[in-house]
Amino acid sequence: AYVNQVGGQDELVFDGSSLVIDPDGNLVSRAKQFEEDLLICELDLTNLREKRVGDEISFSLEDIDTVGHLSYIHVSDSKTRPEPYNNPSSPNILEPIEEIRQALVVGTRDYVRKTGFSKVLIALSGGIDSSLVAAIAVEALGKQNVIGVSMPSQFSSEGSLADAQELSNNLGIQLLNIPIEDIFESMQEALSEEFLETPWGVAEENIQSRIRGNLIMALSNKFGWLVLTTGNKSEMAVGYATIYGDMAGGVSVIKDVPKIMVYELCRHINSREGKDLIPLSVLKKPPSAELRPDQKDSDTLPDYEVLDPILQAYVENDLSFREIIDMGFDTNTVKDVIVLVDRNEYKRRQSPPGVKITPRNFGRDRRMPVANRYRPF
């Protein structure tokens, strides 16, 4: 009998599915996944005794009475029972994508509740990552305990604003609206002398993200809402996130979910619901941080269909630079990705914990030094 607990502990999620196996290795019965279950199993000990004949280690199968404060259930041969109990059929094993979804839901629910919070706050940009986090949070905590906040700037598209509103309507959650354009202009004015005669660039882009980080944390402080950050594993791997900006929060729900899997989860959720809970327009538009005009993730990063397999090979499978190139990837692309992963360890070290769903996550599984000059090429 293999007994496994159920529930989340920081990054880890225990999935239940306790097992009873017979002496021939066959499954006798199995408990449910991701929920507490009481498994009652009738065992025929005659066959077990026969299997153990000649074993160096033997076990007493005699009934044991109460010893001290411990009580033992008496298990006897099925021959002695007038009405043997029929073992219930085991529940179906979940499909991998559904298993991941349930792990994220349970991990989020337990982290929020075990840390003493009841409500959460999510910055909704109209993008796919924040949409997925919101859908998971609603299932984990209930729509009455999830608050979204839209913080548009002059670079926010009308489509993204509409998508954030449609998602909120679909999920039945409250959506706050706090524009940041005036604050951004004030920040640029405050820095105008220091930034004089310098090109507009990443610094100005990140100011917007940090304004949003300040606003969402102010709401958290004022009302006691836990902030759920929305960065995925692909972004965290290469540092495509703003420290003290969109990384500000209490728990990072999809920190270990690669970008391609984000899309798979969203489509799976819509399929389960039988409707477009996450708007189709969110799934179809090109990913963008919307921090400058007409910005797309692909302006800075390889396409996720290329990036994610490289990251899996380097981060999860621990393959070398040469081994990854031998898989057929472009040499310069692999080199650029590895440099980004290694260089951004300092960001990940300061990020909130996230639910582990891959064989190797950042932080608990993959611990690298921040001050590291080594390069594998």
Side-chain angles (χ1 to χ4, degrees):
Y2 168 75
V3 181
N4 186 30
Q5 66 176 328
V6 177
Q9 290 183 347
D10 293 353
E11 297 169 318
L12 295 181
V13 176
F14 297 90
D15 63 344
S17 193
S18 297
L19 305 171
V20 178
I21 306 293
D22 73 10
D24 296 315
N26 301 311
L27 178 67
V28 175
S29 194
R30 180 171 54 83
K32 297 176 183 177
Q33 291 178 271
F34 297 106
E35 59 180 292
E36 294 180 3
D37 195 10
L38 176 62
L39 187 63
I40 301 175
C41 203
E42 184 74 16
L43 304 177
D44 182 352
L45 301 182
T46 304
N47 187 36
L48 181 59
R49 286 193 178 96
E50 293 173 353
K51 290 286 184 180
R52 287 178 174 170
V53 170
D55 287 354
E56 294 181 4
I57 301 175
S58 61
F59 298 87
S60 172
L61 298 177
E62 301 298 324
D63 289 350
I64 303 175
D65 293 323
T66 301
V67 179
H69 64 284
L70 299 176
S71 296
Y72 293 81
I73 298 175
H74 292 200
V75 180
S76 60
D77 293 359
S78 59
K79 295 178 182 178
T80 65
R81 288 189 183 273
E83 296 179 3
Y85 182 85
N86 293 321
N87 295 327
S89 58
S90 297
N92 293 327
I93 297 176
L94 299 175
E95 293 293 327
I97 194 68
E98 173 63 10
E99 190 174 31
I100 291 168
R101 187 195 69 84
Q102 291 202 28
L104 293 171
V105 169
V106 171
T108 301
R109 177 189 299 131
D110 278 13
Y111 191 91
V112 172
R113 290 179 176 175
K114 290 178 180 179
T115 52
F117 290 87
S118 57
K119 294 192 176 185
V120 296
L121 180 64
I122 305 167
L124 294 182
S125 64
I128 193 164
D129 295 323
S130 60
S131 298
L132 175 59
V133 171
I136 291 169
V138 166
E139 180 162 356
L141 305 165
K143 61 184 179 181
Q144 71 279 6
N145 294 317
V146 179
I147 300 97
V149 56
S150 173
M151 295 173 282
S153 73
Q154 63 266 46
F155 305 119
S156 301
S157 66
E158 289 299 322
S160 292
L161 299 179
D163 288 339
Q165 185 62 64
E166 183 179 354
L167 175 77
S168 300
N169 293 342
N170 292 349
L171 296 176
I173 64 174
Q174 179 184 5
L175 180 65
L176 309 177
N177 185 57
I178 308 176
I180 69 165
E181 188 169 351
D182 291 345
I183 304 173
F184 182 41
E185 290 179 0
S186 177
M187 289 283 287
Q188 291 184 100
E189 177 62 28
L191 292 165
S192 59
E193 185 174 343
E194 286 74 18
F195 283 11
L196 187 64
E197 297 181 357
T198 63
W200 199 98
V202 174
E204 286 80 3
E205 292 180 28
N206 286 340
I207 286 172
Q208 299 166 72
S209 184
R210 293 189 177 112
I211 289 170
R212 291 176 173 130
N214 268 296
L215 291 173
I216 201 166
M217 290 309 300
L219 292 168
S220 174
N221 290 161
K222 177 62 71 173
F223 300 109
W225 301 332
L226 181 68
V227 174
L228 306 185
T229 65
T230 62
N232 61 66
K233 187 172 190 175
S234 306
E235 295 172 344
M236 296 305 299
V238 297
Y240 197 64
T242 304
I243 195 167
Y244 320 125
D246 57 339
M247 289 173 61
V251 62
S252 183
V253 175
I254 58 172
K255 182 180 180 179
D256 199 37
V257 181
K259 186 74 170 189
I260 291 177
M261 190 181 292
V262 169
Y263 282 93
E264 293 174 359
L265 282 165
C266 288
R267 288 191 287 266
H268 174 67
I269 288 172
N270 283 352
S271 177
R272 286 184 76 255
E273 295 293 326
K275 59 182 179 181
D276 296 331
L277 192 67
I278 297 172
L280 283 181
S281 53
V282 173
L283 279 78
K284 291 180 177 179
K285 65 185 175 185
S288 172
E290 294 192 335
L291 298 175
R292 64 173 184 264
D294 301 319
Q295 184 181 24
K296 295 181 179 62
D297 289 7
S298 56
D299 298 337
T300 306
L301 303 174
D303 290 338
Y304 288 109
E305 289 77 10
V306 174
L307 177 61
D308 279 3
I310 295 175
L311 292 174
Q312 182 180 13
Y314 186 58
V315 175
E316 296 177 21
N317 299 336
D318 216 17
L319 297 186
S320 68
F321 170 63
R322 181 55 54 188
E323 288 173 323
I324 300 173
I325 292 173
D326 289 344
M327 294 171 63
F329 294 105
D330 174 71
T331 300
N332 290 329
T333 300
V334 174
K335 184 179 292 187
D336 291 343
V337 170
I338 288 176
V339 168
L340 287 172
V341 172
D342 292 350
R343 184 177 290 166
N344 285 284
E345 182 64 30
Y346 81 98
K347 282 188 182 181
R348 294 189 292 270
R349 192 71 63 86
Q350 300 179 67
S351 64
V355 180
K356 170 181 163 65
I357 58 98
T358 67
R360 177 176 288 183
N361 71 340
F362 288 117
R364 183 183 184 91
D365 296 339
R366 188 180 188 274
R367 292 173 288 182
M368 303 294 288
V370 173
N372 180 12
R373 295 180 62 184
Y374 170 77
R375 291 290 179 268
F377 38 76

